[in-house]
Amino acid sequence: MSESEQSASAQMEAAVARWQALKKQAEGGELRLDTQVGAALAQHAEQMRTKLDAMIVSADNLKRLNGFGTLTSAEDLRVKFASKASSGDDSAVKRLKQSVQVLTLMSETYNLAIGKLTQSDQAAADKLAQLDMGDS
């Protein structure tokens, strides 16, 4: 794997770790988002994920390359490009799936953060409702 491929892999792993940490914060109630903002972010993440899913299908179809000719070197090139597209350690499909993983974490985090804010608001409203303000 080349240096740039290792760098891209490290960046993707860092993104996954970052969003896993944010998800834990959202689960614990430390991270909260406004309902409309969080919903819009979650929707955008899902739209991006849908596009990436389509790209995965397209990239996976590249494993059936042809037209390189019958020479041994042509067959070697075909195998190399097919592997780069769909089955190698640094294939396009693998990178796209990693991106989908990040987007899934993002969407889940946004939804959790919205839920925690809603729960927090409801708990505060319940406490206020239970207080006797002396107005009766």
Side-chain angles (χ1 to χ4, degrees):
M1 203 181 308
S2 75
E3 190 174 317
S4 64
E5 291 169 341
Q6 289 175 350
S7 175
S9 180
Q11 287 176 352
M12 192 59 68
E13 289 172 12
V16 169
R18 189 174 325 116
W19 280 101
Q20 286 173 335
L22 288 170
K23 182 178 176 184
K24 285 183 182 180
Q25 289 178 357
E27 287 171 341
E30 299 170 39
L31 175 65
R32 294 180 290 211
L33 290 173
D34 175 76
T35 304
Q36 290 178 331
V37 171
L41 289 169
Q43 181 182 14
H44 187 69
E46 286 300 320
Q47 289 170 348
M48 290 174 62
R49 196 172 124 190
T50 299
K51 290 177 183 178
L52 285 177
D53 285 338
M55 291 171 73
I56 288 171
V57 171
S58 295
D60 195 47
N61 287 336
L62 293 175
K63 67 184 172 193
R64 292 181 289 278
L65 293 173
N66 58 28
F68 283 87
T70 58
L71 296 174
T72 304
S73 60
E75 178 60 19
D76 291 344
L77 279 175
R78 186 196 65 74
V79 169
K80 179 181 178 178
F81 287 131
S83 174
K84 189 70 173 166
S86 66
S87 62
D89 287 338
D90 190 45
S91 70
V93 169
K94 182 178 178 182
R95 292 282 182 232
L96 290 167
K97 285 182 179 179
Q98 289 172 330
S99 296
V100 166
Q101 180 185 12
V102 170
L103 286 167
T104 300
L105 282 168
M106 290 170 74
S107 180
E108 290 171 352
T109 301
Y110 297 142
N111 286 322
L112 281 168
I114 293 168
K116 292 299 179 182
L117 181 62
T118 303
Q119 288 174 0
S120 178
D121 287 349
Q122 186 61 48
D126 291 346
K127 284 181 184 178
L128 286 174
Q130 292 173 359
L131 290 176
D132 181 11
M133 302 298 284
D135 293 336
S136 27

